[in-house]
Amino acid sequence: MKTLKFLGAIAIIGLLFAFTAAKTVSGYQVGDVATDFSLKNVDGKKVSLKDFKDAKGYIVVFTCNHCPYAQAYEDRIVALDKKYKKQGYPVIAINPNNPEKQKDDSFEKMQSRAKEKRFTFPYLLDEGQKIYPQYGATKTPHVYVLQKTAKGNVVKYIGAIDDNYEDEAAVTKKYVEDAVNSLLKGKEVSVKETKAIGCSIKA
């Protein structure tokens, strides 16, 4: 009898673990259509993807102020925007962190950071942490390349910006650039997903 109760308890624990694991595997997959959002930019105005009428797609980057990984990529994110915005793929940066959990990611400090680093792109606050779970972002930075199509904004790439956060000069694979270049040429993205390297999102 005790053995049966023990086995029953093990089975329940296993089911709970499986349920929890299933809940954590969420968000968009490559090929999904991403819904639009309306988030506050550092200039105080709301920004949505639909505001970019001439865009062919978007480079959506979940990033923040405090994370050293995010900081290491800031100049590269600016470079991506400068290179691809004029070609139809602007950067849209979103801070997913809860400022109550991470004070350095407050809206006021976002404004200061954007000014200091001369961000050329919108830097939006995910108030209430509602958007990043829809995407399935887990790190800062975490990138989603979207392509505007007749059926909506289709996810074409998910993951890291490149293969070396520590040293830009040592980068051998530029995942985001390769993805956008392929889309601009009307080709399929060859590397559709990589592992995002960064700080865990503070919700």
Side-chain angles (χ1 to χ4, degrees):
M1 194 70 176
K2 286 183 179 180
T3 302
L4 287 173
K5 285 183 178 179
F6 177 75
L7 290 172
I10 292 295
I12 291 169
I13 291 169
L15 286 170
L16 286 171
F17 178 79
F19 178 71
T20 303
K23 284 180 69 179
T24 59
V25 180
S26 59
Y28 297 133
Q29 304 297 315
V30 171
D32 288 347
V33 175
T35 55
D36 204 347
F37 46 73
S38 180
L39 298 174
K40 186 167 68 172
N41 190 15
V42 287
D43 63 2
K45 298 176 182 178
K46 290 292 184 78
V47 171
S48 299
L49 296 177
K50 67 175 183 281
D51 297 335
F52 299 81
K53 306 293 185 186
D54 298 327
K56 299 173 184 176
Y58 312 89
I59 302 170
V60 178
V61 184
F62 289 90
T63 186
C64 67
N65 294 344
H66 86 279
C67 173
Y69 295 88
Q71 291 173 6
Y73 273 112
E74 284 173 328
D75 291 341
R76 278 175 265 183
I77 294 170
V78 171
L80 282 171
D81 186 57
K82 287 182 176 179
K83 181 174 182 177
Y84 291 109
K85 179 162 54 182
K86 59 189 175 185
Q87 298 184 63
Y89 278 82
V91 166
I92 311 293
I94 301 174
N95 173 15
N97 286 339
N98 182 349
E100 293 181 6
K101 297 282 182 70
Q102 180 50 255
K103 302 297 184 186
D104 287 337
D105 288 326
S106 69
F107 184 69
E108 293 72 25
K109 291 195 176 182
M110 285 173 61
Q111 291 176 309
S112 298
R113 192 72 182 175
K115 185 177 181 180
E116 176 192 345
K117 297 298 295 185
R118 298 182 181 180
F119 286 172
T120 57
F121 45 80
Y123 187 25
L124 314 177
L125 177 63
D126 187 3
E127 292 184 274
Q129 288 70 58
K130 296 175 182 176
I131 302 304
Y132 90 82
Q134 291 181 18
Y135 277 74
T138 59
K139 304 289 184 183
T140 51
H142 204 151
V143 184
Y144 293 74
V145 175
L146 313 180
Q147 182 182 40
K148 190 188 287 187
T149 72
K151 64 178 182 179
N153 298 314
V154 178
V155 180
K156 291 293 185 176
Y157 169 79
I158 302 172
I161 292 171
D162 55 42
D163 65 351
N164 196 319
Y165 79 90
E166 292 180 302
D167 184 4
E168 185 178 2
V171 169
T172 59
K173 295 179 181 177
K174 298 183 177 182
Y175 303 121
V176 171
E177 286 200 28
D178 290 345
V180 177
N181 286 338
S182 293
L183 294 173
L184 287 170
K185 293 173 183 175
K187 296 180 179 179
E188 191 69 23
V189 175
S190 57
V191 179
K192 296 178 172 62
E193 193 163 357
T194 61
K195 183 180 180 181
I197 305 295
C199 301
S200 297
I201 290 173
K202 309 296 187 293

